[in-house]
Amino acid sequence: MSDIIRKDPRLAWIRRNRLHPRHAELSGQPLRGPSGLLRKNPRPQWQLGPSGLRRLDRMNLAGGGEVSQLSKKRSEQPKLPLHKVVEPQGYIAVWLPLSGGRLTAHGKDVLGLAQQLAAAQAQSTAVLGVLCGELKEGIAEAGVDRLLQLHGVEGYQPEAWTQLCRQVEREFKPLHWLFPDAGESAELGRRLAVELGERPATGVWKWEGEHLIARTGAGHQDVTRPLCRLLLLLEECALPCTDHRYEAKPVDFEPEALLRARVRDGGRVAVDLADIPLAEAEFILSAGNGVHDWEQFHRAATLLGAAEGASRVAVDDGFMPRNRQVGATGTWVSARVYIAVGISGAVQHLQGIGKVEKVVAINQDTDCDMVKRASLSAIGDSSEILAALMALVEARPAQEVSDAA
């Protein structure tokens, strides 16, 4: 008999598969303590994004889910050091896109690149954030050194926004203008480029010294071009700022009289939530095999103002239509909030919610993969938790519920 020791291929596969129950045991990583939390972060702080760049672990694979009841508060995070720019001699201007009064993940990526550009300047340079509307959360950790916020310009007003940016250009003379290359921000960046006579760099996803790498050809080809003043940036263009707190100090600014816009915002149009494509929904209530009272689930989605989603099991059982299926074999979603009710978290489903900002898990199994993925988990019977959640929403004034959503 040979004395050669052969490796077990199955054990090697388990060591690579983080979702396997024996992964932590065989990979030599610390097990969970009595509280259900990992004693030590077993995974690297950064993950590789689709573009190949290192970025923050937004899927929360590193830290595991925080298992708590609805009333349990998160533990306080250590206070980050303050990044100060005392007397800026130059500015990097960034247009800040808001979604429901909150800075989007795309905007945080752009601010990360803005701070890198500011740090590379020979003179003291501050990142100047420009936004219109009301903020519902602080942005002290997003990377804004100086904040120019204009109230009273709600809705879609591209001409007023362009005039505001032109005034910022005259008064602050930014070294660079940065815009997210998506939606209204992309349109505004192109409008400003025409006004300033600048040729913008669009589809930029990487900055390397004096060069930019931009994506073209329907996203299948990269081109290199010189660094310019006006940049329209894709998601994952840089890592979000996480090492410091920033002042976000308001600047003195007197806006000129806004021009009479030829484009008028008619306000929001009432839309049936069932008609919203899952890929565009910002708030999703999704059901899985753990949901038994479907009438209650539909009432909860209506009351919360959430689009309905489902796991593949719920769709295959005929409880939800096929176009509501979330996952790699259904629809890839990028919602701001995703509530998973009775979903264990198969690999395909976790892939489909990879770009979701906040995941809330309602489940009876504290060790399921959805709980590990979630930022907040409520452990218990789904019907009881949904009933309690609906009671809390009904007890609040309608305006507060709308603002929270």
Side-chain angles (χ1 to χ4, degrees):
M1 181 180 294
S2 174
D3 294 333
I4 299 176
I5 300 176
R6 303 185 63 183
K7 294 182 179 180
D8 187 341
R10 177 169 175 78
L11 295 181
W13 174 79
I14 293 176
R15 291 190 186 97
R16 297 192 302 268
N17 184 4
R18 66 170 187 83
L19 298 178
H20 197 280
R22 298 185 60 195
H23 170 73
E25 172 190 350
L26 296 177
S27 61
Q29 297 172 353
L31 300 178
R32 295 181 180 273
S35 63
L37 299 179
L38 289 173
R39 297 183 183 275
K40 183 180 180 182
N41 185 355
R43 298 187 65 82
Q45 180 182 1
W46 308 109
Q47 303 292 329
L48 292 177
S51 60
L53 294 178
R54 289 194 316 161
R55 59 183 297 99
L56 279 175
D57 182 8
R58 284 186 179 152
M59 289 185 65
N60 198 28
L61 299 178
E66 179 182 349
V67 180
S68 66
Q69 301 299 327
L70 289 174
S71 59
K72 184 175 180 180
K73 296 182 179 179
R74 284 180 171 271
S75 58
E76 295 185 358
Q77 298 293 329
K79 194 172 184 179
L80 297 173
L82 180 63
H83 178 274
K84 296 186 66 175
V85 181
V86 181
E87 294 182 359
Q89 300 174 355
Y91 294 93
I92 305 292
V94 180
W95 179 262
L96 303 179
L98 300 181
S99 175
R102 298 170 179 84
L103 184 62
T104 64
H106 195 168
K108 294 177 181 178
D109 293 344
V110 174
L111 283 172
L113 183 58
Q115 285 293 342
Q116 293 179 21
L117 285 170
Q121 304 301 318
Q123 58 187 2
S124 176
T125 305
V127 173
L128 173 66
V130 183
L131 65 88
C132 292
E134 179 185 359
L135 274 172
K136 295 183 180 179
E137 65 179 9
I139 57 172
E141 297 181 4
V144 178
D145 298 310
R146 298 292 185 270
L147 180 63
L148 194 160
Q149 184 175 6
L150 183 62
H151 297 278
V153 189
E154 288 78 15
Y156 176 69
Q157 300 193 38
E159 293 172 337
W161 298 340
T162 305
Q163 179 175 326
L164 170 64
C165 291
R166 290 185 61 184
Q167 186 179 350
V168 172
E169 170 71 19
R170 291 194 300 269
E171 296 190 14
F172 294 92
K173 297 179 175 57
L175 302 175
H176 296 279
W177 275 97
L178 274 60
F179 294 85
D181 196 359
E184 298 170 354
S185 301
E187 177 191 354
L188 175 60
R190 288 165 170 81
R191 283 175 175 265
L192 182 62
V194 173
E195 293 287 339
L196 301 181
E198 299 273 356
R199 182 184 177 185
T202 63
V204 177
W205 67 273
K206 193 174 183 180
W207 165 56
E208 293 181 341
E210 296 299 322
H211 298 281
L212 301 169
I213 300 179
R215 190 142 293 175
T216 184
H220 300 293
Q221 182 181 0
D222 286 340
V223 295
T224 302
R225 57 170 301 175
L227 179 64
C228 58
R229 282 196 66 221
L230 207 151
L231 283 66
L232 277 71
L233 303 160
L234 299 177
E235 288 185 294
E236 300 186 359
C237 58
L239 296 173
C241 301
T242 57
D243 296 334
H244 295 86
R245 290 179 297 114
Y246 298 82
E247 294 180 282
K249 184 178 179 181
V251 298
D252 296 328
F253 183 79
E254 290 294 334
E256 300 172 351
L258 298 178
L259 56 82
R260 181 174 297 177
R262 289 169 291 179
V263 178
R264 295 187 178 275
D265 187 359
R268 294 187 177 184
V269 179
V271 178
D272 187 356
L273 294 174
D275 295 334
I276 299 178
L278 281 177
E280 301 176 7
E282 292 190 350
F283 183 22
I284 300 175
L285 183 68
S286 193
N289 196 37
V291 174
H292 304 292
D293 190 344
W294 287 95
E295 182 179 351
Q296 180 196 49
F297 172 79
H298 297 311
R299 291 200 313 270
T302 302
L303 185 61
L304 294 172
E308 294 184 1
S311 67
R312 180 173 181 175
V313 175
V315 172
D316 289 344
D317 290 343
F319 294 111
M320 293 286 286
R322 184 64 62 182
N323 64 345
R324 295 284 106 182
Q325 180 181 332
V326 176
T329 55
T331 302
W332 296 63
V333 299
S334 56
R336 189 156 47 87
V337 178
Y338 184 86
I339 302 179
V341 185
I343 300 177
S344 60
V347 175
Q348 293 85 351
H349 197 92
L350 293 178
Q351 290 175 341
I353 62 174
K355 290 189 176 182
V356 172
E357 292 187 28
K358 298 294 181 182
V359 175
V360 179
I362 299 177
N363 211 295
Q364 289 183 321
D365 184 5
T366 59
D367 294 325
C368 71
D369 294 312
M370 184 59 72
V371 170
K372 298 175 184 178
R373 162 69 172 90
S375 304
L376 176 68
S377 299
I379 305 303
D381 183 75
S382 62
S383 298
E384 295 179 0
I385 295 175
L386 282 180
L389 181 60
M390 293 168 63
L392 289 174
V393 174
E394 290 173 342
R396 298 180 63 183
Q399 183 60 38
E400 291 187 14
V401 175
S402 176
D403 293 341

